[in-house]
Amino acid sequence: MKVLKSEFEYREWMEKDYFHLEEGYPSVLEPDELERELLHQMPDQFPCIVLVVKGPRPVEPEGLQFIYSAQVQEWAKQFGVID
């Protein structure tokens, strides 16, 4: 779980923590493939919280789930943190 405040933070997190791309090691994705995947998976808005979730079956890949400010505010109301 990570808070992403901007597109820059999203891209940085995806490359380093999700795809595990690091300088010095060859990427399995070509630059244009990486860009398409980043755009495909990008959240609808920032800031957000991203969670990596496992597929419903062991053979299915992990996916991303985004939680947005409106949901966090609703939860804060339910927990009595805000009115």
Side-chain angles (χ1 to χ4, degrees), residues 58-78:
V59 295
E60 292 187 27
E62 294 176 332
L64 300 178
Q65 180 178 358
F66 296 100
I67 301 171
Y68 301 105
S69 295
Q71 180 64 59
V72 173
Q73 289 175 350
E74 181 61 34
W75 287 338
K77 287 178 186 175
Q78 291 176 6

Side-chain angles (χ1 to χ4, degrees), residues 42-57:
M42 189 177 296
D44 294 332
Q45 58 186 322
F46 296 97
C48 63
I49 298 171
V50 63
L51 302 160
V52 178
V53 294
K54 297 196 181 287
R57 294 182 296 220

Side-chain angles (χ1 to χ4, degrees), residues 1-63:
M1 178 169 52
K2 178 155 179 79
V3 174
L4 302 173
K5 297 177 190 171
S6 66
E7 183 176 335
F8 175 80
E9 286 186 7
Y10 161 75
R11 289 175 174 275
E12 186 176 65
W13 177 80
M14 285 288 285
E15 290 179 16
K16 291 180 181 175
D17 297 327
Y18 187 71
F19 289 126
H20 304 288
L21 303 178
E22 297 181 28
E23 291 187 32
Y25 296 98
S27 173
V28 296
L29 298 172
E30 294 294 324
D32 61 325
E33 292 174 312
L34 177 60
E35 181 62 20
R36 281 195 306 270
E37 192 60 28
L38 290 172
L39 291 173
H40 175 72
Q41 301 230 26
M42 189 177 296
D44 294 332
Q45 58 186 322
F46 296 97
C48 63
I49 298 171
V50 63
L51 302 160
V52 178
V53 294
K54 297 196 181 287
R57 294 182 296 220
V59 295
E60 292 187 27
E62 294 176 332

